[in-house]
């Protein structure tokens, strides 16, 4: 990842992920399932390892001023990936903005702008 680059919140519905930092510094985390929605985070440096449990939303952010390199492995040949923002705001066809307005407590214009974003 480039400096301040991010692997945005996503999930692997069919696999656990293990990540090893080869170079740089990453801020990583995952959120447990409902109803706790507890956030677990850690700043990782070269040689550190972190496990993202199967199906949980997780992310990686390079918090360093240099490139970060990490190697990930998944427990499945077909772990799948669902990038949260892409799935919610970039679905085809689009999710009814009224649904997202209520779900995210956003102004409808904001939702519509997000839906017009980079996905279209």
């Amino acid at each position: 990842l480039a400096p301040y680059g991010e692997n945005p919140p996503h999930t692997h519905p069919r696999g656990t992920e293990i990540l090893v930092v080869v170079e740089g510094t990453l801020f990583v985390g995952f959120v447990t399932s409902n109803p706790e929605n507890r956030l677990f985070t850690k700043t990782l440096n070269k040689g550190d390892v972190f496990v993202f449990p199967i199906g949980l939303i997780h992310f990686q952010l390079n918090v360093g001023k240099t490139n970060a390199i990490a190697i990930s492995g998944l427990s499945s040949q077909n772990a799948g990936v669902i990038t949260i923002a892409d799935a919610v705001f970039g679905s085809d066809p689009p999710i009814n903005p009224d649904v997202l307005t209520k779900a995210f407590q956003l102004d409808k214009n904001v939702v519509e702008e997000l839906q017009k974003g980079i996905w279209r």
Side-chain angles (χ1 to χ4, degrees):
L1 292 172
Y4 311 106
E6 177 184 44
N7 187 6
H10 65 282
T11 181
H12 304 286
R14 297 178 299 276
T16 294
E17 179 178 355
I18 187 168
L19 179 136
V20 179
V21 177
V22 178
E23 253 180 51
T25 304
L26 294 177
F27 177 70
V28 303
F30 67 86
V31 180
T32 65
S33 58
N34 294 343
E36 292 85 14
N37 296 316
R38 184 166 176 208
L39 174 64
F40 288 86
T41 63
K42 180 88 175 158
T43 299
L44 304 178
N45 297 296
K46 182 177 180 176
D48 290 340
V49 177
F50 198 83
V51 174
F52 304 99
I54 187 171
L56 296 185
I57 295 171
H58 59 282
F59 60 87
Q60 298 94 29
L61 173 68
N62 181 354
V63 293
K65 295 178 181 176
T66 62
N67 289 340
I69 299 172
I71 298 173
S72 290
L74 295 151
S75 66
S76 168
Q77 290 180 342
N78 186 13
V81 65
I82 301 168
T83 305
I84 307 306
D86 291 352
V88 173
F89 294 105
S91 67
D92 185 18
I95 296 171
N96 182 318
D98 293 332
V99 172
L100 300 179
T101 297
K102 185 169 182 129
F104 291 102
Q105 299 179 8
L106 294 171
D107 182 271
K108 189 172 184 177
N109 293 324
V110 171
V111 169
E112 290 171 345
E113 284 300 310
L114 288 169
Q115 288 180 311
K116 289 180 196 173
I118 62 172
W119 304 281
R120 303 227 191 285

